[in-house]
Amino acid sequence: MAVEIARERKKLRAQLAIAGGGPSGVVAALAAARNGATVILCQDRSVLGGNASSEIRMHIVGSSHRGKELETEARESGILEEITLENAVRNQQRCANMLDLILYEKCRAEPNLTLLLNTTVVGVRMDGDRIVSAYASRESTEDWFELEAELFADCTGDGRLGFEAGAAFTTGREAAGEYGESAAQANRDAYRLGSSIMFTTRDMGRPIPFVAPPWIRKFSEEDLKLRGHDTWEYGYWWVEFGGMLDTIKDNETIRDELLAIMLGVWDHIKNSGNHPESANWAFDWFGFLPGKRESRRFIGQHVLTQNDLEQAVDFSDVIAYGGWPMDTHPPQGIDAREEEPCSQPNTPYMYGIPLRSLVSRNVANLLFAGRNMSATHVAFSSTRVMATCASMGEGLGTFAAVALLSGKTAQEAWREPAIVREAQQQLLRQGAYLPGQWLADRNLAAEATVTASSEQPAGPASNVADGHTRTVSGPKGVRPDLAAPGSHRWMSDPADPAPWLELAWDRPIELRRITLVLDTGLHRVLTMSQSASAQPLMVWGAQPETLKKFRLLAHTAAGEIEIADVRDNYTRQLTFETQLSGVTRLRLSVTETNGLDHARVMEVRCQ
C-alpha cells in the first residue's frame, strides 16, 4: 500500500521574486539586489544562463553587429557588459562552464539575493488579481517552497509563473491586420520559431570514424543546399525543428527529433563523401536540452510591434533597447528545404523598449522580461535575443527596486513619471544605455576647466564632461534626433608617453564620489562563442581601448592626495568613494592601456 507523505512548505520572503535564471533573470536579480531590494531568484536548472549556459551554448547576441568604431557603439553595456568583460578576461580558453560559474558567482556575491537552483515554479496563490506567493519544487532535495513577495517577475522564457497566475498571453503569429504589420502573415496561425540543439567538434589529428545510430534522419547535399555547413566546429543554429508543434507541451518530442536531425547532419558531413576534409573531426559535445526560441508572449500594457521598431519610437518610459534584425524563420525549420532558414531585415535604428511592455495587463504585481515580453511575433523576432533580454532584465530589476522603495504597486508605479524617470536615471548611473535619455545628475566635472597633456582633434579633453558615454550617431545607430554627433571621449595623442587628464575648479569643491567611464570597444562584437568565424570579430581578453594602469590624484590646500592607484583594470565603469574638502584639481595619470597606442576616457563624473 502506497503511503503519501505531505511535504512541509518552506516559506521564503523577499520583496521581489524572479522565476527564470537566463540572462534576463540573472541581470534583473542583480540589478534589483544592488539597488537595495531583497530578491529570490528561482532557476529550474542546475546552472544559470539559459540558452547561453553550458547546457545549450548559444552565443549571446543583440545590437553589437551594428557597430562601427567612433560612430556606432551598439553593444549592450551595464551589468551584461560587466559579465561579458569578466568572461573575456577570466575565460580566455572559452570554456562553456566558466560562464556558468561567473553568473553563479555574481549571484552568490549579492547579500540581498537568495539563489534557488534546480527549483521550478509549479503554482501560485492569488488574492484577486495579485500574486501573493509562488509555489516551487526542488526535487533534488525533496523540498517544497512558498515564495512570498510584493512583486513577481517572470523571466522563464516559457512564461510558467505568469501562466500559473492567469496572466494574459498569446502564442503563434498575428495576422497582418491586427497591428498593421507589413511583415506579418495574412492570417493568424499557431506557428512559431522552432528550437535547436547545438554541438561542438574538434580536430583530433587523425581520422575518427562516426558510426551513426539507426534512428537518425538522413540528409543529402541537396537537402542542405540553402544551409551552409562547410565548417563544423560549432554546430548550426539552423538545426531547427518544432515550430509547427507546441514548443512547451511537445518539448520532449522536439528534443528527440532534434537529436535525430543533428546526428543526421553530422552523419552527412562525416559519411556522405561530400566533405572528406572532416575525416579528423569528431564530436566534442552536443546538447540534450533544446535551445528554445519561442513559446508564450505575455500581453502587457503595450504590445511592441514591427512599426515601433522600424520607427524607433521615442517612448517616454524607455527602459531598455534592442537592435537585432527582425529574424523570422520558417516554422518547418530544417524541413523547409526550399526556403532560406531565416529572413533578417535590419531595423533602421537601435530602438527603445518601453517599461509598459514589461508590465502585465491583468496581473497587478507581475512584471516580465526576456522572450516572453509583450510583443507581436514580428517584433519578438528581434527582441528575443539574449543581449536584448538582458537589457530588459536590467531595466526590470532597476524599476522594481525603485518602485518598491516608493511604496507604490507595480500598476501605480509604471504610470508615475517621477518613478519611471528615477529608474531611467539609475540605469544610466550604473552604466546602462537608453536611447534619447541623458543623466541629469549635477556633475562637478562639467563645472571645471578640463585640460590634458595631449588630445586628438576627434577626442578633445572637454568630451569627458559632455554628458554622453558612447557614440550612437553613426550608421544604424540611434534615431538622429535622439543622438548627438561626436566621439564623446578624450583621446590622447599616440606620441604622448605619459598622458594625463586634469579637471580644475575656480574655487575649492567638496568631492564625495568620482565615477570614470572608460572605453571598452562597444562598437565590437564580444560574446562567448565557439564559432571560428566569430573570433576575428572579437578581442578575447581585456579590450585594448581600456585603461589598464592609472592613478587618480586630488590637489587640495593640504597637498596632493592619492585617491586611487589602479592596476590590471579591464572594466568599463569604476566608482571611487572619497571624503575630500577644498579640492581644486583632479588629475588622472595614465600609465598603460590594454593595448591601444593612446589613452581614452569616455566620462568623468564628480559629485
Side-chain angles (χ1 to χ4, degrees), residues 531-554:
S531 170
S533 63
Q535 303 314 312
L537 305 176
M538 301 190 287
V539 174
W540 208 243
Q543 302 306 289
E545 299 90 347
T546 310
L547 301 187
K548 181 178 182 179
K549 294 182 182 180
F550 60 88
R551 295 175 71 210
L552 201 55
L553 305 166

Side-chain angles (χ1 to χ4, degrees), residues 70-90:
L70 299 181
E71 293 187 36
T72 307
E73 294 172 312
R75 195 170 80 229
E76 293 76 7
S77 53
I79 294 174
L80 179 62
E81 175 77 346
E82 172 191 327
I83 293 166
T84 300
L85 293 174
E86 186 163 338
N87 186 57
V89 169
R90 290 179 57 190

Side-chain angles (χ1 to χ4, degrees), residues 573-602:
Q573 184 161 307
L574 302 93
T575 297
F576 306 95
E577 304 289 345
T578 186
Q579 293 289 328
L580 291 177
S581 298
V583 177
T584 56
R585 286 183 292 144
L586 180 69
R587 176 173 286 210
L588 173 70
S589 294
V590 179
T591 306
E592 187 179 353
T593 72
N594 280 293
L596 197 67
D597 64 357
H598 62 276
R600 290 185 180 182
V601 175
M602 306 297 301

Side-chain angles (χ1 to χ4, degrees), residues 225-474:
K225 63 185 178 183
L226 298 179
R227 290 160 172 79
H229 52 285
D230 55 347
T231 66
W232 34 79
E233 76 289 340
Y234 182 51
Y236 310 109
W237 58 264
W238 49 256
V239 170
E240 182 174 355
F241 179 78
M244 309 286 284
L245 303 176
D246 184 329
T247 49
I248 296 174
K249 292 296 185 182
D250 297 321
N251 195 47
E252 294 294 294
T253 299
I254 291 168
R255 185 270 323 286
D256 292 345
E257 189 67 14
L258 279 171
L259 282 170
I261 291 168
M262 181 271 294
L263 292 170
V265 169
W266 185 241
D267 179 61
H268 166 77
I269 291 168
K270 289 288 290 184
N271 297 325
S272 68
N274 294 102
H275 304 281
E277 63 276 20
S278 69
N280 290 0
W281 288 76
F283 276 135
D284 183 61
W285 166 89
F286 53 83
F288 272 79
L289 182 65
K292 197 177 295 185
R293 291 182 175 87
E294 183 176 8
S295 45
R296 298 185 182 104
R297 301 189 306 280
F298 289 119
I299 306 298
Q301 301 293 335
H302 176 79
V303 178
L304 200 69
T305 70
Q306 173 191 349
N307 301 316
D308 292 333
L309 271 56
E310 290 183 336
Q311 296 167 20
V313 173
D314 182 18
F315 293 106
S316 61
D317 60 342
V318 61
I319 205 76
Y321 77 94
W324 187 251
M326 288 180 284
D327 183 4
T328 55
H329 302 187
Q332 302 88 343
I334 198 168
D335 292 323
R337 54 175 286 181
E338 300 300 326
E339 294 184 54
E340 294 288 345
C342 67
S343 172
Q344 294 183 318
N346 266 305
T347 55
Y349 309 108
M350 297 157 60
Y351 57 82
I353 296 171
L355 172 63
R356 67 193 92 158
S357 289
L358 310 184
V359 179
S360 174
R361 179 171 293 181
N362 67 311
V363 178
N365 60 340
L366 177 65
L367 308 171
F368 31 75
R371 61 182 175 85
N372 59 16
M373 70 164 286
S374 179
T376 65
H377 171 81
V378 174
F380 147 90
S381 72
S382 173
T383 62
R384 66 184 173 85
V385 293
M386 286 184 281
T388 306
C389 292
S391 177
M392 283 184 239
E394 186 161 4
L396 180 153
T398 304
F399 165 74
V402 172
L404 287 162
L405 185 64
S406 76
K408 302 279 188 178
T409 67
Q411 295 295 337
E412 293 170 332
W414 81 264
R415 292 181 170 92
E416 288 277 353
I419 294 175
V420 174
R421 176 67 171 163
E422 177 53 30
Q424 292 169 330
Q425 289 291 295
Q426 183 55 29
L427 283 163
L428 297 175
R429 291 183 194 108
Q430 62 203 32
Y433 173 71
L434 300 173
Q437 298 290 320
W438 292 273
L439 190 59
D441 293 347
R442 181 186 179 189
N443 184 4
L444 295 173
E447 301 170 19
T449 300
V450 186
T451 57
S453 57
S454 64
E455 58 185 30
Q456 297 183 42
S462 59
N463 276 353
V464 300
D466 71 359
H468 300 274
T469 57
R470 64 169 71 195
T471 298
V472 289
S473 58

